[in-house]
Amino acid sequence: RRNKMSKIMVALIDIEDEQGYLEYQNIVLPMFLEMGIEVLAVDDSPKAIEGETREQRMVVIKFESDEAFYNWYDSPEYKKILPIRLANSKGEVHLLDEQNLNF
């Protein structure tokens, strides 16, 4: 079920081959710019406040809606480079509803 609420994508990435991953990164970042997708954070050394520090890249990206996320993720352009990411890293990708809570 897709809705109009903004979505936040959080990815936790273990980069296994930096050169190979760089090829993916050099294509996907301009793609975000071109599609007007807001990259909120990319951090290779996130600081754990609670729990153990993960030696992973964390990426946080904002999409205007469910539809905007899937327009990017399911696009032929992204499908072409996804195998590059999968061949050079392992990780998790989560899609969250952005909450605008009014207290």
Side-chain angles (χ1 to χ4, degrees), residues 7 11 20 22 27 33 39 46 64 74-75 82 87 90 100:
K7 298 293 181 176
L22 196 57
I27 300 169
L33 273 175
V39 178
E64 289 305 312
D74 293 335
S75 70
L82 178 59
K90 286 192 173 80
N100 294 313

Side-chain angles (χ1 to χ4, degrees), residues 8-12 69 92-96:
I8 303 293
M9 185 194 88
V10 178
L12 303 134
F69 171 78
E92 302 170 31
V93 177
H94 304 269
L95 194 59
L96 314 175

Side-chain angles (χ1 to χ4, degrees), residues 1-59:
R1 208 174 64 183
R2 299 181 182 189
N3 61 44
K4 291 290 181 196
M5 182 181 290
S6 294
K7 298 293 181 176
I8 303 293
M9 185 194 88
V10 178
L12 303 134
I13 309 290
D14 283 312
I15 298 171
E16 297 174 319
D17 181 327
E18 287 189 26
Q19 273 311 116
Y21 193 87
L22 196 57
E23 180 186 351
Y24 165 80
Q25 182 178 298
N26 289 341
I27 300 169
V28 80
L29 291 178
M31 186 182 292
F32 289 141
L33 273 175
E34 196 176 294
M35 295 179 80
I37 296 166
E38 191 177 357
V39 178
L40 300 177
V42 177
D43 195 335
D44 286 326
S45 304
K47 179 181 177 185
I49 303 303
E50 294 183 13
E52 293 180 32
T53 297
R54 302 173 106 154
E55 297 299 320
Q56 292 177 304
R57 172 174 291 182
M58 288 191 178
V59 180

